Amino acid sequence: MINSATGQAVGILLPFWSYLPTDKVSPKGFLYPVSQVMKEGDVLRFVVLIGEAEDEAPLAGKDFFWQDVKRMFCPKFFCADMTVLFRERMCNFTALYARKGGLFFNGRRAGDFADAGEVFAHYGLREVWNLITGDIKPSCCVYKYGRLFVPETEVCLGLVSEKANFPKGYDMKDLARVEKLLEEAGAYKIPEEISLAEVEKKLSKFAEIEKFLDEFSSDRETLLR
């Protein structure tokens, strides 16, 4: 764990955490524009973490894999975490929707949640931000009057660029990084005891899962769920 550098540890303490495929796999829907930017730009990793639902409404749109939905949910939190190259250094921008959310740069507050649109645009992800805010139709989410509605809750999805070369020990740096922001926002409670052995066990399976996904990477119609 100390030397691990898979890039898979973002949100690993959350109960709905899951592995992130590389952009070698062709995703549909929400992640498609992310995969295209990763091929040319400075986005090395993009992760979305969504907490449990607190409310719901009859809103039509698309889910994250571009299937029609007729109801959306207001989550306890929505977190979009980007690992990017900023002035040739690997940095993290985190857009957090929660009661005490905001925009964070390497864990430090840099603005409000709505300010994240400028960061998304800078890194070529304006279309993704528009899918989050509902500024284009059809869309995956709706953000109005300070409330965000999403098509699915308790979700972890994202991509890691094949070009990403995380330094030795980066997984330890990622461990509880986002969870700490969620806790400070009053949206999550970090377990009092964290088993590094359990975390290491999860990360050790990444190579096996990545090999499985590689078998489908040549299929441009692959649908990730």
Side-chain angles (χ1 to χ4, degrees), residues 45-140:
R45 180 177 59 189
F46 182 88
V47 188
V48 166
L49 303 162
I50 306 176
E52 63 193 59
E54 292 191 316
D55 197 1
E56 62 180 282
L59 296 170
K62 298 286 187 178
D63 69 11
F64 294 115
F65 303 93
W66 221 240
Q67 301 298 307
D68 292 334
V69 296
K70 295 182 179 180
R71 298 193 71 80
M72 290 192 179
F73 309 89
C74 185
K76 191 171 186 178
F77 66 83
F78 173 101
C79 175
D81 187 71
M82 294 187 289
T83 303
V84 300
L85 290 178
F86 178 72
R87 297 177 181 174
E88 299 184 353
R89 297 184 62 182
M90 192 176 291
C91 301
N92 297 295
F93 284 98
T94 309
L96 175 59
Y97 166 85
R99 287 189 176 88
K100 298 179 182 179
L103 172 65
F104 300 85
F105 174 69
N106 286 344
R108 296 184 178 182
R109 189 178 182 87
D112 296 327
F113 175 73
D115 297 326
E118 296 181 18
V119 178
F120 275 67
H122 178 79
Y123 286 99
L125 295 172
R126 182 181 294 277
E127 181 180 353
V128 178
W129 181 250
N130 288 340
L131 288 172
I132 292 172
T133 60
D135 288 344
I136 58 176
K137 304 296 182 184
S139 191
C140 295

Side-chain angles (χ1 to χ4, degrees), residues 153-170:
T153 58
E154 297 183 84
V155 167
C156 171
L157 73 159
L159 290 173
V160 177
S161 171
E162 283 198 292
K163 297 185 299 182
N165 185 22
F166 296 102
K168 187 176 181 180
Y170 201 81

